[in-house]
Amino acid sequence: MNEERRRLYVVMLVSLFFLVYLFAAATPLRSEFVLDPRWVVDILGEATTRSGNENLVPFRLGDRFGYIGENGSLAASMRLPSSGVSFEGKADDDSPSDVALSDTAFAVYSSDYMRIEAKAPDGSTLFLSDLPGIPYFSNDRRFLVSPGMDAIGEYRSDGYLAWNYEFPAIITAFEATREFTVAGLMNGMVEGVDRNGARNFSFETGGSRIPVIYGLAVSGSGDAIALVCGLDRQRFIYLERKGGDFRVAHHRYLDSSYRSPVAIRFSADGRFAYFAQPEGISVFDAKKRSFGSVPFVSTNFDVLTEGGKGFVILSSSIPEGRMIICVDPPGRVIFSHLLPSGISFVAMRGESLYLGIDDRVARLDFKEE
Amino acid sequence: MRRRFRRALAVIITTSLVLALYALDWPTDSGSVPLTFGSGNRGRFVNGVVIASKDGTVRAAGTGDLFFYLEKPELADGFPSPLRAIVALEGADGMTSVYGGLEPGTVSSYLATVEKDDILGRVDRHSAGLYFSLYDRTKRRYVNPFIFMAPPKDERQPAIRSVGLMQGMKTWALGETKSVRQGTYELVAAIEDPDDLRPSGTVRAPYRIRVFLDGAERLSYVYETSEGRDGSLTYFGAGVTAAGFWKFDGRVSLGSYLLNRGKTSVLIVVKDYSGNEREAGFTFQVE
């Protein structure tokens, strides 16, 4: 009898334990992400008038470029001239044209760097430049890169050249924030330039047989810079602003020996720095000073956006094509999706993904179900 | 016998000296240089040379480690490369050689250690030629490649035009002006070493410019190095910036001089890489 009772107690105890475990340790199932198609636009169609406060997304597909509204209206669609335009205004077949494109400006230029006219999406002139160079737009700022790739000029909103900064060596990495610009150079130096065109900091990387900057990124707050630099051996360096200067807060020698530019990006909150490595996309956690990895080998990727749940969405070029990867930082992959071949344009605004293929641009929204 | 031996020895020594002097070979098969070091490109200095090519092949001018290449004309973040595709080599002497203006997709990125004459890529068909620059890491400055390479051969003399004295917005053209008032004037001139392949809008630089005032040398600009400091590249080892050197019309500033009363003579002497020289002299009265 005692034996039976003891057995009953054990069964009851075990059952109770499982019941408690079931209710106390249970976690809700994760919702699934789905891509909800919203619209498809034919970029060869007629441009429509748009409401003034609608955000525009720039696109470039082959020799066509323009702007699309978030609601699917085609705000502008232009074709690049097959030949450049000479200084005298004549067609110049030896100088093919290209376009610098951002949310707020575009400028068609030819390879002989003759006169450049930067325009707003509505076609109004932003600035005219007779200086030689290539326009580059970033973070609502308008730059001109010198033909020797060792100087940067910035145009003000009133169309005048605000400043021109000549670096001591060729630029190999660059990022512009709203407050300052940072250039990584072929001689291993990093130089920051403030909004008035004055040098606000300078940093010499060293630590490798051949000093050179392969990639750099500035955090959204502007308080941290991440670098991949040097050859033999290659290093990752994390700089933090201390007072008015940037100092090394963390560094690590890498197994890589890249000799071409390396993609490196911060997450929007500045906590994680993603950079290309041979074994996958490495992730540096600036808070914990630790490293993780996203297991997708890619030398060219972009941090598209951060979802509301703190997920990071990467667009990555892999040998098979372009892939969209959703990551729970630092490195847990929530999902990955190989895009159909032929997709040549990928952009993200908020929770919306814009894809371009042939003559069409589509919008798909990320949704949790 | 002894004389023949001495002659042979002299030839060997001379050849060795020339080879040692020119440590770098020409990277293309053309002897034409559309733009020399320090040439002007609408108010900017060119910190290298642009060398034409007949067959388009670019070869290593010297040995080195290939430490940087760009296969497409942009950096990782979309920042454009006006130099198109690029290869950079690190020489044992700390001299970085940069080969720009290459056709995207033609770069020999598989090379790690490069020997002299190895093929590095092809000149971009839309470029005026190969952009070739040298950077001295130890002294942190660009160096004129023709210090290390045989200079281009050329029979044309440099040109000196539109020499004038400037004071504020006013200019007195020398050759036409017989007298100026006593004071400080900026000497300006249009100076170039002509070449048929020079891209439009550019001014091809000579090797050296000298200015003599009343027989005394007052200025000597030798196109050898440029150095970056605090946001400006300076030239001639004299702190000369692009903004201070280039005038809006392509003329150059040759310094400011205090002219005292009396007869004054100005002589400008310009020399190119082949030793061709051009002089322009002016005499006028300072009142």
Side-chain angles (χ1 to χ4, degrees):
Chain A
M1 183 65 187
N2 276 350
E3 185 63 27
E4 271 183 16
R5 184 169 287 178
R6 198 180 301 149
R7 202 174 288 166
L8 187 68
Y9 284 148
V10 169
V11 169
M12 282 173 67
L13 207 66
V14 170
S15 304
L16 189 69
F17 173 78
F18 275 111
L19 269 172
V20 169
Y21 177 81
L22 202 67
F23 288 102
T27 53
L29 284 172
R30 280 186 181 277
S31 52
E32 289 209 339
F33 278 93
V34 291
L35 282 169
D36 178 27
R38 293 290 303 277
W39 46 254
V40 177
V41 171
D42 182 354
I43 61 165
L44 300 178
E46 284 288 310
T48 53
T49 47
R50 61 187 184 87
S51 57
N53 56 1
E54 187 186 11
N55 290 325
L56 295 177
V57 180
F59 68 85
R60 168 82 191 269
L61 283 168
D63 63 351
R64 289 201 83 90
F65 69 96
Y67 292 90
I68 287 180
E70 287 176 327
N71 62 357
S73 59
L74 184 64
S77 177
M78 289 158 271
R79 190 172 183 175
L80 277 173
S82 55
S83 59
V85 179
S86 73
F87 199 53
E88 293 80 20
K90 296 170 188 161
D92 181 358
D93 292 336
D94 289 334
S95 305
S97 55
D98 208 334
V99 64
L101 196 59
S102 76
D103 289 13
T104 55
F106 71 91
V108 176
Y109 60 90
S110 55
S111 63
D112 59 3
Y113 318 129
M114 288 301 180
R115 176 178 255 206
I116 292 160
E117 183 176 10
K119 293 181 174 181
D122 63 8
S124 59
T125 299
L126 293 170
F127 69 83
L128 283 166
S129 172
D130 287 338
L131 273 174
I134 292 184
Y136 174 64
F137 307 131
S138 178
N139 242 324
D140 209 15
R141 298 177 68 180
R142 295 141 196 171
F143 301 101
L144 190 73
V145 187
S146 72
M149 214 170 157
D150 50 12
I152 296 282
E154 181 174 13
Y155 282 86
R156 292 193 310 229
S157 53
D158 60 6
Y160 287 94
L161 185 69
W163 51 265
N164 182 62
Y165 191 96
E166 294 174 326
F167 293 95
I170 287 174
I171 298 165
T172 53
F174 184 85
E175 179 145 353
T177 68
R178 288 188 182 275
E179 284 74 38
F180 62 100
T181 59
V182 186
L185 307 177
M186 196 176 268
N187 65 356
M189 300 279 294
V190 178
E191 286 200 7
V193 182
D194 68 18
R195 284 208 76 125
N196 299 314
R199 189 173 77 176
N200 64 354
F201 73 90
S202 176
F203 176 76
E204 193 171 348
T205 51
S208 307
R209 184 171 64 85
I210 303 175
V212 53
I213 309 299
Y214 290 105
L216 69 78
V218 184
S219 66
S221 65
D223 289 333
I225 299 172
L227 305 165
V228 173
C229 60
L231 187 66
D232 193 13
R233 297 170 67 196
Q234 210 149 71
R235 285 208 298 167
F236 170 85
I237 300 178
Y238 178 75
L239 305 171
E240 271 182 350
R241 196 197 291 269
K242 298 245 168 70
D245 222 344
F246 280 88
R247 306 257 169 84
V248 176
H250 193 80
H251 93 107
R252 182 191 215 185
Y253 279 106
L254 305 170
D255 293 330
S256 61
S257 52
Y258 289 118
R259 293 175 295 138
S260 57
V262 175
I264 179 164
R265 300 279 186 278
F266 269 103
S267 56
D269 64 359
R271 178 173 168 181
F272 302 102
Y274 293 81
F275 60 100
Q277 280 294 277
E279 71 278 3
I281 298 168
S282 273
V283 191
F284 172 68
D285 185 338
K287 195 173 172 185
K288 293 181 178 171
R289 301 283 197 261
S290 63
F291 288 83
S293 181
V294 180
F296 286 94
V297 178
S298 172
T299 52
N300 188 14
F301 65 87
D302 200 3
V303 174
L304 289 176
T305 188
E306 282 189 279
K309 304 273 184 189
F311 298 140
V312 174
I313 294 165
L314 306 171
S315 160
S316 173
S317 292
I318 61 169
E320 294 79 23
R322 191 83 75 104
M323 182 166 261
I324 296 291
I325 307 162
C326 181
V327 176
D328 184 6
R332 196 169 71 88
V333 175
I334 304 294
F335 74 85
S336 62
H337 182 72
L338 184 65
L339 296 174
S341 61
I343 298 254
S344 57
F345 161 72
V346 179
M348 196 140 181
R349 298 289 185 277
E351 304 286 314
S352 301
L353 180 68
Y354 296 83
L355 302 175
I357 184 166
D358 298 332
D359 298 329
R360 285 176 160 69
V361 175
R363 174 181 158 182
L364 301 100
D365 288 355
F366 279 95
K367 273 189 174 175
E368 290 181 67
E369 284 185 349
Chain B
M1 186 67 181
R2 185 176 283 181
R3 187 180 287 177
R4 195 176 288 174
F5 174 73
R6 276 186 189 163
R7 194 176 291 169
L9 193 67
V11 168
I12 290 167
I13 290 170
T14 310
T15 310
S16 307
L17 278 174
V18 169
L19 286 176
L21 193 63
Y22 301 128
L24 299 175
D25 285 349
W26 275 57
T28 71
D29 61 350
S30 169
S32 177
V33 181
L35 288 176
T36 50
F37 184 80
S39 291
N41 191 353
R42 281 172 282 158
R44 295 187 193 273
F45 279 116
V46 177
N47 290 306
V49 297
V50 174
I51 305 175
S53 171
K54 288 177 192 161
D55 67 0
T57 308
V58 175
R59 294 177 183 276
T63 58
D65 292 333
L66 197 160
F67 74 95
F68 186 87
Y69 65 85
L70 198 59
E71 285 191 296
K72 55 181 186 174
E74 61 178 34
L75 300 179
D77 50 4
F79 184 83
S81 164
L83 292 177
R84 309 288 289 163
I86 301 171
V87 170
L89 307 182
E90 183 73 2
D93 50 1
M95 196 70 81
T96 298
S97 51
V98 179
Y99 302 75
L102 302 179
E103 180 96 36
T106 68
V107 169
S108 303
S109 55
Y110 58 90
L111 293 171
T113 305
V114 172
E115 297 296 329
K116 199 181 258 194
D117 226 28
D118 280 351
I119 292 175
L120 298 177
R122 291 190 62 77
V123 174
D124 189 293
R125 61 203 158 92
H126 303 300
S127 298
L130 167 74
Y131 177 84
F132 183 64
S133 76
L134 289 181
Y135 182 82
D136 184 343
R137 276 188 191 271
T138 50
K139 292 183 177 166
R140 295 184 178 184
R141 61 189 189 185
Y142 289 102
V143 180
N144 188 340
F146 290 126
I147 293 173
F148 297 92
M149 282 163 55
K153 291 194 175 77
D154 171 18
E155 287 178 0
R156 291 164 75 174
Q157 282 184 308
I160 305 170
R161 286 188 289 266
S162 307
V163 182
L165 294 173
M166 280 181 79
Q167 201 175 53
M169 299 297 285
K170 205 169 176 190
T171 304
W172 290 263
L174 292 185
E176 296 168 14
T177 304
K178 290 200 172 118
S179 65
V180 294
R181 299 184 81 175
Q182 181 178 280
T184 300
Y185 294 85
E186 185 181 15
L187 180 64
V188 294
I191 292 173
E192 80 164 321
D193 191 22
D195 187 275
D196 294 336
L197 295 175
R198 173 184 64 82
S200 64
T202 59
V203 178
R204 190 173 182 267
Y207 176 64
R208 185 176 189 179
I209 302 172
R210 287 192 292 169
V211 171
F212 295 86
L213 202 65
D214 296 327
E217 186 178 274
R218 300 290 297 272
L219 176 142
S220 175
Y221 285 168
V222 185
Y223 288 77
E224 284 185 331
T225 59
S226 68
E227 207 169 335
R229 200 171 293 153
D230 297 329
S232 290
L233 281 164
T234 59
Y235 265 73
F236 315 120
V240 176
T241 63
F245 188 68
W246 295 104
K247 299 291 169 189
F248 72 94
D249 57 3
R251 288 196 287 181
V252 298
S253 172
L254 299 174
S256 291
Y257 305 96
L258 173 64
L259 301 180
N260 291 315
R261 282 198 181 95
K263 202 173 182 182
T264 300
S265 72
V266 171
L267 177 68
I268 301 172
V269 182
V270 180
K271 192 176 175 181
D272 70 12
Y273 289 88
S274 298
N276 302 309
E277 225 172 52
R278 169 84 73 179
E279 291 183 5
F282 307 91
T283 304
F284 52 91
Q285 195 71 32
V286 179
E287 294 168 343

